Amino acid sequence: MRRTLTKIVTAATVAALALTGCASSDDPADTPNGPVSAADIQAALDAGGEIAVWAWEPTITEVVAGFQRKYPKVKVKLVNAGSGNDQYTALQNAIAAGSGVPDVAQVEYYALPQFALAKSVTDLRAYGAGGLGGTFTPGPWASVNTGGGVYGLPMDSGPMALFYNKEVFDKHDIEVPATWADFVAAARKLRQADPKAYLINDAGDAGFATSMIWQAGGRPFQVDGTSVKVDFTDAGTTQFANLWQQLITEKLVAPVAPWSDEWFQGLSNGTIASLVIGAWMPANLTSGASAAAGKWRVAPLPQWQAGGTASAENGGSSLAIPEKADNKALAYGFINYANAGDGVAIRLKGGAFPATTAELNSPEFLATEFSYFGGQKANEVFAESAKNVVSGWSYLPFQVYANSVFNDTVGQAYVSSTSLQDGLNAWREAAAKYGTEQGFTLR
Amino acid sequence: MTVPQVTARGAAAARRRRRGLAGWQFVGPFMAVFALVFLAPIGYSIYLSLYRQRLIGGTSFVGLENYQRALTDPQFWSALGRVSLFLAVQVPIMLFLALLVALAVDSGRLHGMRFFRVGVFLPYAVPAVVATLMWGFLYGTQFGLVGSLNDALGLTLPSPLTPELILLSIGNIVTWEFVGYNMVIFYSALRVVPTSLYEAAAIDGAGQFRIIRAIKLPAIRGALVVATIFSVIGSFQLFNEPAILKDLAPNAITTYFTPNLYAYSLSFSGQQFNYAATVAVLMGLITMAIAYLVQLRGMRREP
């Protein structure tokens, strides 16, 4: 399987490189930093050198090993500078100080606009990334296309799906919900049947809420350069808020924070019977809730309209090149290898979920049977979800901050009489205040 | 005639200068390290607090504007109010417990006194992070100790991680951690009381409570003041416990739960280094002022 995958990836990469080679030489206007051709990058890779990579994604270690085997003259220094916010802090500090800046940094999609806006990361169109559009699935590709440039290459993606504990569902004769209304009904039914069990946990999670609004068609964040609009009163957002409010009011959500011990225990012992989360979850279930192996299944995301197919992304990261990186050509060679080249196959083997169309459509990938899901070909569900991600979503150019105060505002709806909609409005206030202080124009 | 006079005066000045220089040579290394690791960070924080950096528009000098903003910032005041409440309730309880244990240990009437002493002190040896993680697990109502108690005894104990109870839960953790530490301070102060005083009291027919009131408590007044000052500073610097419990109770512990946590969130999630520095400088000043008041009051009572 791996050999075939590698072949496909190589073919795709060659095609992509050829395309981008043309693009960068034909259209110099599109390349603000002067075009760097595929040949230049190849030359840099052959000449060798040293690059520093900051990433926390576990499969990247194998990618680095594979890359160094292929380009023995390049030395990659892989640093885990913390995950998520911790790493961004370190990165922002390094950029502000102008020293110790890595050549490549992992940046989650929600955080990329912040770095792009500050021009802290490089517009990769100069390196031919503009032509990679067809290589990646639409959701992740849209996420790295921000502020009129391409500021990273998608590494993985998280098209959402419903993970559910089939054993619990069967025991209480609950059908897999096809719509969100069904989902609420299922939550009631389970709670009545077993007072210790919950259909789902939620203690207020910004990533989850924004993904749900995304799927419902809400567009609360609108960004045009430095002019920003935050509005949680559009139809999609209200639809989500009203529905989820029912679950909170009727105490149908387990008040358990994700990634806590209690969470994994609940997933293991069946007291948390489903998850609405990105396609990168299986590896975490396998390691964190191993006791429930074989009991879980994957289904498409419940829909807002019966018969619909709408989906959204949840999480996922890109690899970006800081503007102050020392060795950009080499860095681009690496991220191209990792995200559009041989590295993709290596990462898939490690259990990551791809952001590349070739892999998503490859028969081998789709036919993979997950023993954790009782032999289900779960990738079929994920790949279908990836194709149906609703377009037009954008995050705030200061989403990192906004998400950090989500629980101060929206989170209060989970622990007090505040409604979810009031919480969202308070979130808007906090985000708008910060945006204004930071020099944005709030529409 | 005038020339030697001048030389003499010059020599004296040179001698004075040399003497001055010699002094500096001795304190020089200390002053250098002191300036580098104590004064420089404070100076840099004050310097940072006078600027404002924005995502759009870069850095500009704003004078005292950040301070003005902090003084009218409801989040800053709510954080300060919360730690003040914590200080007013948790510190007396903790010090009273520590005193009780120290007196019990000092009385020499306990069986297994050494074991008891070590047992009470042991929590202090557990890193705060580990202690909080452990307590966080005990506090869980789903699968933690509270949950198990509810199941086993048919109780409906409220979750200690709700907004209403979270401060109490943190107070419990901090008390558990620091009773032993304060006990050791009090106990060591009690050990230096000359036994002749106790003998004299016994001859005068004083009971144990009389001895405690007339001899032991006055003897450890200094230690009490020191322990109180440490506790004041510790309360205002409350950070580890809420920062770690935040993962378990994200809605109960806001990003501005304590002043330290607020400064941390401002700086690390919001990139507002300048405002975070302002909050830090203000908190430093407030802590110093209160610690000084406690010291003044403690010293005034000194006989």
Side-chain angles (χ1 to χ4, degrees):
Chain A
M1 172 203 155
R2 193 177 154 221
R3 193 173 297 159
T4 333
L5 262 185
T6 318
K7 261 185 214 157
I8 293 166
V9 177
T10 320
T13 319
V14 169
L17 280 179
L19 267 174
T20 52
C22 296
S24 51
S25 50
D26 286 347
D27 192 4
D30 238 1
T31 51
N33 298 334
V36 182
S37 72
D40 294 342
I41 294 163
Q42 191 58 47
L45 287 169
D46 292 339
E50 192 177 315
I51 51 170
V53 175
W54 284 11
W56 65 85
E57 209 273 344
T59 61
I60 200 94
T61 326
E62 280 302 306
V63 175
V64 167
F67 179 74
Q68 289 183 330
R69 270 195 303 275
K70 187 166 179 187
Y71 304 105
K73 286 187 177 166
V74 186
K75 201 177 162 325
V76 179
K77 217 176 110 211
L78 181 64
V79 178
N80 183 342
S83 21
N85 211 359
D86 294 343
Q87 201 252 51
Y88 305 143
T89 304
L91 184 60
Q92 238 136 3
N93 287 349
I95 289 169
S99 71
V101 182
D103 298 285
V104 173
Q106 178 180 352
V107 180
E108 283 160 282
Y109 296 131
Y110 84 91
L112 194 60
Q114 186 156 331
F115 287 95
L117 178 91
K119 298 272 177 269
S120 305
V121 285
T122 311
D123 184 353
L124 300 178
R125 285 179 303 172
Y127 297 82
L132 290 177
T135 310
F136 298 103
T137 48
W141 182 246
S143 302
V144 296
N145 270 278
T146 171
V150 175
Y151 286 95
L153 290 190
M155 175 156 71
D156 56 6
S157 67
M160 292 179 91
L162 174 70
F163 296 70
Y164 66 99
N165 189 321
K166 188 169 187 293
E167 198 184 64
V168 175
F169 272 46
D170 287 349
K171 187 176 162 196
H172 301 296
D173 197 21
I174 294 167
E175 284 195 15
V176 179
T179 65
W180 287 111
D182 293 348
F183 188 83
V184 175
R188 286 193 190 114
K189 191 170 175 184
L190 176 62
R191 199 99 184 84
Q192 262 158 14
D194 180 358
K196 292 200 66 61
Y198 291 91
L199 183 59
I200 195 170
N201 77 289
D202 184 20
D205 180 77
F208 170 74
T210 46
S211 290
M212 289 291 287
I213 293 170
W214 181 344
Q215 189 218 3
R219 294 292 171 266
F221 311 121
Q222 283 166 31
V223 185
D224 180 14
T226 61
S227 164
V228 174
K229 187 177 174 193
V230 189
D231 175 19
F232 291 110
T233 58
D234 65 5
T237 311
T238 356
Q239 200 174 15
F240 160 71
N242 290 340
L243 182 116
W244 212 254
Q245 183 69 54
Q246 295 176 41
L247 293 176
I248 297 171
T249 312
E250 296 177 35
K251 299 198 187 308
L252 299 175
V253 283
V256 172
W259 310 107
S260 61
D261 285 342
E262 284 202 311
W263 190 59
F264 281 117
Q265 282 186 37
L267 298 175
S268 296
N269 65 18
T271 50
I272 297 174
S274 82
L275 277 174
V276 176
I277 211 160
W280 36 260
M281 191 62 200
N284 297 297
L285 275 176
T286 315
S287 62
S290 51
K295 296 176 184 171
W296 284 73
R297 298 288 183 277
V298 179
L301 207 53
Q303 293 296 314
W304 294 98
Q305 264 99 36
T309 55
S311 178
E313 294 277 339
N314 181 229
S317 304
S318 62
L319 289 179
I321 303 177
E323 190 60 55
K324 288 180 181 164
D326 292 328
N327 208 335
K328 289 189 184 179
L330 212 48
Y332 187 79
F334 176 76
I335 66 173
N336 195 48
Y337 172 89
N339 294 357
D342 296 356
V344 179
I346 299 175
R347 297 192 53 258
L348 282 189
K349 204 162 161 272
F353 193 81
T356 37
T357 32
E359 276 64 39
L360 272 174
N361 294 325
S362 89
E364 286 82 2
F365 175 75
L366 293 173
T368 310
E369 292 180 358
F370 288 73
S371 59
Y372 191 88
F373 300 124
Q376 190 189 4
K377 293 171 183 168
N379 283 341
E380 289 177 347
V381 180
F382 301 143
E384 198 55 36
S385 172
K387 281 180 201 146
N388 291 311
V389 170
V390 184
S391 61
W393 175 267
S394 65
Y395 285 112
L396 286 174
F398 44 88
Q399 195 73 35
V400 177
Y401 173 80
N403 283 6
S404 79
V405 296
F406 180 86
N407 290 93
D408 290 0
T409 52
V410 186
Q412 298 311 305
Y414 292 80
V415 291
S416 71
S417 56
T418 313
S419 75
L420 202 54
Q421 188 65 52
D422 287 348
L424 285 167
N425 293 341
W427 193 24
R428 191 195 78 84
E429 294 298 317
K433 181 167 167 273
Y434 180 81
T436 314
E437 276 165 17
Q438 294 297 322
F440 291 91
T441 317
L442 265 291
R443 276 181 283 151
Chain B
M1 192 64 202
T2 49
V3 177
Q5 209 173 3
V6 167
T7 339
R9 205 182 291 144
R15 218 170 22 248
R16 264 202 306 280
R17 237 190 344 266
R18 259 204 308 282
R19 206 182 299 138
L21 276 180
W24 278 110
Q25 275 164 8
F26 276 110
V27 296
F30 166 75
M31 288 307 282
V33 174
F34 180 71
L36 196 71
V37 302
F38 285 93
L39 300 182
I42 295 175
Y44 186 60
S45 296
I46 295 172
Y47 166 80
L48 274 182
S49 71
L50 302 177
Y51 287 81
R52 182 173 59 202
Q53 191 187 17
R54 312 204 292 179
L55 280 170
I56 298 161
T59 306
S60 53
F61 180 80
V62 293
L64 294 178
E65 219 172 86
N66 286 327
Y67 289 90
Q68 218 168 14
R69 179 180 156 197
L71 293 177
T72 54
D73 182 347
Q75 299 193 329
F76 173 67
W77 288 109
S78 96
L80 189 60
R82 204 168 286 116
V83 290
S84 303
L85 178 70
F86 186 85
L87 172 69
V89 176
Q90 186 266 341
V91 169
I93 294 177
M94 174 181 69
L95 293 183
F96 178 74
L97 286 176
L99 187 60
L100 217 60
V101 176
L103 289 171
V105 170
D106 184 60
S107 73
R109 294 169 183 222
L110 285 177
H111 280 291
M113 191 261 276
R114 278 161 190 276
F115 173 78
F116 186 66
R117 203 170 57 194
V118 171
V120 173
F121 185 71
L122 203 61
Y124 181 68
V126 177
V129 174
V130 178
T132 313
L133 285 173
M134 194 182 79
W135 276 100
F137 178 70
L138 296 180
Y139 284 157
T141 46
Q142 300 296 318
F143 312 107
L145 180 69
V146 173
S148 307
L149 279 177
N150 282 345
D151 284 350
L153 306 174
L155 302 171
T156 45
L157 292 176
S159 167
L161 299 175
T162 54
E164 294 78 28
L165 294 180
I166 190 75
L167 199 59
L168 210 67
S169 306
I170 292 174
N172 181 42
I173 300 175
V174 175
T175 307
W176 180 83
E177 284 173 318
F178 287 97
V179 158
Y181 170 78
N182 288 301
M183 180 270 288
V184 166
I185 296 181
F186 296 152
Y187 179 66
S188 53
L190 285 170
R191 293 310 287 172
V192 298
V193 177
T195 41
S196 57
L197 284 177
Y198 296 140
E199 285 159 10
I203 292 168
D204 288 346
Q208 276 303 318
F209 285 104
R210 176 81 200 195
I211 290 179
I212 288 174
R213 210 152 42 84
I215 301 176
K216 293 191 174 181
L217 286 185
I220 63 167
R221 183 171 295 147
L224 254 173
V225 173
V226 169
T228 310
I229 290 175
F230 284 167
S231 302
V232 168
I233 295 172
S235 298
F236 279 140
Q237 291 187 345
L238 195 62
F239 177 76
N240 277 341
E241 292 80 7
I244 290 163
L245 285 180
K246 187 164 169 50
D247 282 341
L248 298 176
N251 305 318
I253 298 174
T254 53
T255 54
Y256 51 92
F257 193 75
T258 72
N260 259 9
L261 197 58
Y262 187 41
Y264 175 85
S265 317
L266 284 172
S267 153
F268 287 143
S269 307
Q271 294 294 309
Q272 295 166 295
F273 303 111
N274 306 105
Y275 189 48
T278 312
V279 169
V281 170
L282 275 178
M283 272 319 289
L285 288 174
I286 293 172
T287 311
M288 262 162 54
I290 296 194
Y292 182 68
L293 280 178
V294 170
Q295 196 183 10
L296 269 189
R297 186 153 171 77
M299 290 309 159
R300 204 183 57 195
R301 277 205 240 134
E302 205 82 56

